[in-house]
Amino acid sequence: MKRQPVLEKSIVVSIVKALRVQPGVVVRKRHGTAMGVAGDPDLYGTVGGRHFEIEVKRPGSQLTELQVQRLREWSQAGALTGVAHTAEDALRILGLEA
């Protein structure tokens, strides 16, 4: 029997759940709207007062050039940024490794 691939939505849910229990962390899922900016990362928030932007990807998936550019913009503005394939990746990006 073939295993079903992990859905990005499932990874997002596990990351948000893991981050919401961390002290000093506020996390939000960005929803695409007409007012949004194409390529902006999936999750944003603050950890200890510092802004973060996290792009969530399924294992083996690659960032688009636009996503790379948006993460670079946020990083150059001082935000913590990264790509997470798991909740552990997100915790590591924010310096909250278990």
Side-chain angles (χ1 to χ4, degrees), residues 1-86:
M1 181 176 216
K2 189 175 179 182
R3 286 185 93 182
Q4 294 294 322
V6 177
L7 297 177
E8 186 174 298
K9 178 181 177 179
S10 299
I11 300 169
V12 168
V13 168
S14 69
I15 291 172
V16 169
K17 185 176 180 179
L19 293 181
R20 285 198 171 146
V21 300
Q22 299 293 320
V25 175
V26 175
V27 61
R28 299 287 185 264
K29 167 71 172 97
R30 183 174 278 119
H31 298 282
T33 67
M35 299 300 288
V37 176
D40 262 352
D42 299 302
L43 301 175
Y44 66 98
T46 186
V47 55
R50 184 147 182 219
H51 185 79
F52 67 81
E53 296 279 338
I54 297 175
E55 179 62 37
V56 179
K57 286 291 187 187
R58 292 177 20 209
S61 296
Q62 301 295 317
L63 292 175
T64 66
E65 188 54 42
L66 185 56
Q67 290 169 328
V68 170
Q69 181 181 340
R70 295 294 182 249
L71 283 172
R72 187 179 310 120
E73 289 171 356
W74 281 110
S75 180
Q76 289 173 345
L80 296 169
T81 62
V83 179
H85 301 280
T86 64

